[in-house]
Amino acid sequence: GQQLNQSPQSMFIQEGEDVSMNCTSSSIFNTWLWYKQDPGEGPVLLIALYKAGELTSNGRLTAQFGITRKDSFLNISASIPSDVGIYFCAGQLADGGSQGNLIFGKGTKLSVKP
Amino acid sequence: NAGVMQNPRHLVRRRGQEARLRCSPMKGHSHVYWYRQLPEEGLKFMVYLQKENIIDESGMPKERFSAEFPKEGPSILRIQQVVRGDSAAYFCASSPGQGLHGYTFGSGTRLTVV
């Protein structure tokens, strides 16, 4: 099946640090979404991107839809303890699949540096 | 303004039993999507339904799994003769129409097969 390669798999953050994660694919997407999932909960939408090259911010979060339509990144600036959790990229294929059929990456787990 | 409601939150079944998972979409939403999440994995699309219609079941296993979204009442994901490999978190999302606008996830049902 279609795959999204999300990296890094996990990272440790110290309060105040900037964080970066990305997703790549060999397929073309017409939408990229970034979600955060807390333990025992469903994913919550952070940012949605609908056009190649689009750069969108939501508070301390910034995400971009890659110009090739095969990748996206998410940056978190000046991280705080409540940023801990699992972040997922998700996309809707440009070719094939019904609307609403999202493909998810495997997630990036953010933890606090010991 | 209730979000997407899933119940039960936790479900334990013995091998061979049936599991029925319920999803009530947000008010005004007539499109429902089911996803499965294995531990340490992203969500995998299973099925997309509108009232009384299955739109896309490309992610549903061919046997033992079925889904419905009747004219009245919640959407039901039914797993017959459960096996240990069915243990996972099952998430439902709903949207008001086709596409990703307003696409919202529930908190999931965690199925454990013993």
Side-chain angles (χ1 to χ4, degrees):
Chain A
Q2 300 293 340
Q3 278 202 329
L4 285 180
N5 302 307
Q6 185 170 350
S7 66
Q9 233 179 338
S10 63
M11 56 195 310
F12 289 90
I13 58 171
Q14 199 146 39
E15 190 170 350
E17 283 181 341
D18 294 345
V19 169
S20 215
M21 60 193 80
N22 68 80
C23 268
T24 60
S25 176
S26 57
S27 300
I28 293 173
F29 286 79
N30 60 21
T31 304
W32 284 96
L33 306 166
W34 285 93
Y35 287 90
K36 184 180 182 221
Q37 186 178 28
D38 291 324
E41 296 297 326
V44 174
L45 182 66
L46 299 173
I47 293 182
L49 302 155
Y50 298 105
K51 286 184 198 173
E54 182 180 353
L55 182 73
T56 297
S57 292
N58 177 8
R60 293 177 298 104
L61 278 58
T62 302
Q64 184 156 31
F65 192 145
I67 201 76
T68 65
R69 299 170 67 191
K70 294 182 178 181
D71 63 330
S72 176
F73 71 75
L74 175 71
N75 286 343
I76 307 173
S77 63
S79 56
I80 59 177
S82 61
D83 289 335
V84 161
I86 303 179
Y87 291 79
F88 290 99
C89 62
Q92 188 169 68
L93 282 169
D95 183 19
S98 59
Q99 293 193 27
N101 175 345
L102 291 177
I103 297 171
F104 277 77
K106 290 194 173 185
T108 295
K109 185 176 181 179
L110 246 58
S111 307
V112 174
K113 260 183 200 168
Chain B
N1 185 17
V4 178
M5 304 301 291
Q6 290 189 249
N7 67 80
R9 289 297 303 271
H10 299 275
L11 183 61
V12 179
R13 284 286 175 265
R14 293 187 187 280
R15 279 179 296 169
Q17 288 185 319
E18 179 179 286
R20 291 171 76 88
L21 288 61
R22 292 174 197 77
C23 170
S24 295
M26 285 183 72
K27 190 175 178 181
H29 287 195
S30 58
H31 298 242
V32 163
Y33 316 83
W34 285 94
Y35 288 79
R36 177 164 61 178
Q37 184 179 33
L38 295 171
E40 311 294 320
E41 296 283 326
L43 281 69
K44 294 276 196 298
F45 171 80
M46 298 180 77
V47 63
Y48 163 24
L49 310 105
Q50 281 180 267
K51 287 282 186 183
E52 300 183 282
N53 282 311
I54 295 176
I55 307 301
D56 179 356
E57 56 182 350
S58 57
M60 284 282 266
K62 297 285 182 250
E63 296 176 350
R64 303 188 296 108
F65 284 71
S66 62
E68 62 176 9
F69 188 16
K71 192 175 176 183
E72 302 289 338
S75 176
I76 307 282
L77 179 68
R78 184 179 175 212
I79 312 172
Q80 295 179 285
Q81 297 167 14
V82 294
V83 301
R84 287 230 170 95
D86 296 333
S87 296
Y90 291 84
F91 290 95
C92 166
S94 72
S95 66
Q98 272 195 331
L100 300 175
H101 174 69
Y103 199 103
T104 305
F105 281 91
S107 295
T109 293
R110 273 130 196 97
L111 172 66
T112 303
V113 180
V114 297

